[in-house]
Amino acid sequence: MAPGRGGRQGAPGKWRLVLVAGGAAAVVVAVGAMAAVAFTGDNGTPEKRTKPTVAAAPPAWTIEAGRQLTSGTGLRYDGTMTVGGTPVQAHLRVTPSGLATGTLTAGLLKADVIAVGGDTYLKAGPEFWRDHAGEITHLEYYAGHWSKAPASMPGFDVPDVLGPESIARMLAEAPAEPPEEKVNGVPAFKVETPKAVYLVAAAAPHRLLSVRGTGQNAPRFTATPVAAPVALFKELRPRVAKLGGAADPGLGFRPGTLTFSNCDKNTTGCTVSVPATLTSPADGVPDGARAALRASITSRGEPLGSCTASDAVPADRALVLRCTVTSKRWRSWMRNALDNPGSYPYEATAHVVGEAVDADDIGKLLARVDRERKAVVKRAPSTPGPSTPGPSESGEPSVHRSGQPEVATSQSPERP
C-alpha cells in the first residue's frame, strides 16, 4: 500500500494501491549460416578440394507419405495424455499447415484449443486452469479468456508435433527401412524423432496411423484424415477472430503506482495509468512481447466502467500503460456529482498481464486461415464421407474477479 496523489473531484484526497501481475517463457530461434573458403598451396596454386557429398534422395515411401500429409485435407487426432498427473482426453483437427482446433476434456472439465501463427491457445474455466496449469498464479486473469497455453498444457507444441507439414519434414529424414510394428493389426513403419514417434502404414499410400509423444506420460493419438474440412474451418475461424488481447501467462510484470488523470469534473471519461516492468523472463525481452492493462473504476461498490490497453515491451523492459473509462455509467455518475454537491469517492482496480496477440494482428491471422481454407476445401472430395463429429461446444466459461484486487482509491471533495 503506497500513499500518493490520486484522481479527485476538485480538492485534495488520498488513494492507495496494491498491484499484482502475472508469469513466462520465450523461445529463441538461432539461425546458422555456412561460408565456403578457398585454400591455396605454398606456391600460390589452388589445392585440390574434396568434392561435396551429395545428399541421398529421401526414400520413396517417405516422399509418398509426405505428399499424402501436405496435399490432403488435414488430420484428426483422438487420444489421451496426462496433464498435471490427470488423464486428459484430446480431440483435435489439424490443417496441413498446422492450424488446429479442438478440445481437451478432463472429467467434467473442458478446454477449447486452437493453434495459429505457430502458437497454441486455450479457453477454459478457472477449475481447468487450477487443476492443469501448473504453478501459474492469478488464474482469474486467464480463465474465461483465450490465453496462450503454458508449457504444461497441453505439454507439447501442437503445430510442430501434429502439423502435417511438420511431420512430412521429419519423415523425409527417416531411413529407407525403418523398424516396424502393428497398429490395430496394420503393419506400420516406426519413425522416432526427438519430438514424437510416428507410425506410418508400411503399405502405400503410407498413411499416418498414430502419433506417440516421447517421455513419461506422453500423449498417444490415433490419426485419421479430416473428412469434412468445411466443418473444421467453420469452428476454427470464429475462435481465431476472438484472439485479440489473448493473455500470455509466460510473461511476468512488476507494476508501479497507479494514478488517475483527467478525471476531475470530466463527464467524458477518466484515465488510469500504471507503469510496469517486465520481470520474467529475466534474460532479455522475448520477440513480440506485449503488456496489457485491464482496469475498472467503481464508486462505493457500483461499477462505473472498465478499459483496456496494451503496448509492446521496449528493450529497457519498462513502459507506462494508460486506458480511459468512457462508459455511460461514468458520464451519468459524474453529471450527478456535479449537479448534487457531496462526497463522491471512486476507486480503480487494475492488473498488468502479458499479451500474446495484438488485436491489430487478427486480420492477418484470419487472412491466413482463409487462404488455407480455400486451398483445402478445393482439394476435398466433392462428396466426402461422413465425419465423426467432435465433442459438442459448451457455453462461455465463467469469469472470476481476483480475490485480492489491486486497489487505488481517490476521495472527492465535499463539493464536486
Side-chain angles (χ1 to χ4, degrees):
M1 184 177 296
R5 294 179 299 172
R8 58 184 185 275
Q9 303 274 351
K14 62 181 180 180
W15 53 267
R16 63 186 181 276
L17 169 70
V18 179
L19 284 170
V20 181
V27 177
V28 179
V29 179
V31 179
M34 294 188 301
V37 181
F39 294 93
T40 60
D42 293 338
N43 59 2
T45 59
E47 293 182 348
K48 291 184 178 180
R49 291 176 294 178
T50 303
K51 291 183 179 181
T53 302
V54 178
W61 77 266
T62 67
I63 296 175
E64 175 61 19
R67 189 189 68 78
Q68 288 285 325
L69 288 165
T70 58
S71 64
T73 55
L75 293 170
R76 171 163 179 156
Y77 294 96
D78 298 282
T80 304
M81 55 190 180
T82 300
V83 180
T86 303
V88 175
Q89 298 295 317
H91 304 280
L92 303 170
R93 288 174 290 176
V94 186
T95 71
S97 74
L99 305 179
T101 183
T103 59
L104 303 178
T105 306
L108 298 177
L109 304 180
K110 193 196 77 166
D112 293 332
V113 184
I114 58 174
V116 65
D119 293 312
T120 303
Y121 302 89
L122 301 172
K123 186 177 182 181
E127 295 84 2
F128 193 98
W129 280 86
R130 181 196 62 216
D131 294 346
H132 304 289
E135 300 300 321
I136 293 176
T137 59
H138 289 281
L139 300 183
E140 67 276 5
Y141 296 166
Y142 313 106
H145 308 279
W146 282 110
S147 302
K148 190 173 181 179
S152 61
M153 232 188 350
F156 61 94
D157 189 316
V158 171
D160 278 357
V161 174
L162 301 182
E165 289 183 1
S166 177
I167 297 172
R169 289 192 294 270
M170 288 184 281
L171 291 183
E173 304 294 327
E177 298 181 0
E180 293 188 25
E181 67 176 68
K182 289 188 176 181
V183 178
N184 295 326
V186 178
F189 291 141
K190 180 181 179 181
V191 180
E192 298 188 54
T193 75
K195 298 177 180 179
V197 176
Y198 299 95
L199 295 164
V200 182
H206 306 294
R207 185 172 66 83
L208 180 67
L209 302 176
S210 178
V211 178
R212 298 199 299 257
T214 58
Q216 189 177 10
N217 299 323
R220 301 173 68 93
F221 298 107
T222 59
T224 55
V226 169
V230 172
L232 185 164
F233 286 97
K234 186 176 181 180
E235 178 178 273
L236 174 64
R237 196 181 194 280
R239 291 181 173 186
V240 173
K242 296 180 180 180
L243 268 184
D248 185 351
L251 298 176
F253 293 89
R254 181 179 64 251
T257 301
L258 183 153
T259 59
F260 296 101
S261 62
N262 198 28
C263 300
D264 294 352
K265 303 179 182 179
N266 185 355
T267 58
T268 62
C270 177
T271 298
V272 175
S273 300
V274 177
T277 302
L278 180 69
T279 56
S280 61
D283 53 347
V285 178
D287 184 37
R290 298 182 62 83
L293 171 67
R294 300 172 182 173
S296 61
I297 299 177
T298 61
S299 176
R300 296 191 174 100
E302 177 188 358
L304 300 181
S306 60
C307 62
T308 62
S310 67
D311 205 351
V313 180
D316 66 0
R317 308 171 70 86
L319 71 165
V320 177
L321 297 166
R322 299 180 180 86
C323 69
T324 302
V325 172
T326 59
S327 65
K328 181 178 179 181
R329 286 188 176 184
W330 169 268
R331 297 194 299 271
S332 298
W333 177 83
M334 180 58 73
R335 290 192 190 99
N336 179 69
L338 294 173
D339 293 341
N340 300 278
S343 175
Y344 295 89
Y346 57 98
E347 65 180 10
T349 65
H351 56 266
V352 177
V353 299
E355 184 179 71
V357 183
D358 182 2
D360 292 340
D361 291 336
I362 294 301
K364 297 177 182 178
L365 295 178
L366 289 175
R368 177 176 178 178
V369 172
D370 291 340
R371 283 194 301 271
E372 187 165 18
R373 178 188 184 280
K374 183 178 181 180
V376 170
V377 172
K378 183 183 297 185
R379 68 176 70 130
S382 57
T383 55
S387 62
T388 304
S392 60
E393 301 295 328
S394 67
E396 294 292 318
S398 60
V399 179
H400 288 231
R401 286 181 57 86
S402 168
Q404 295 179 331
E406 306 80 357
V407 178
T409 61
S410 176
Q411 177 68 44
S412 66
E414 292 296 322
R415 296 179 60 86

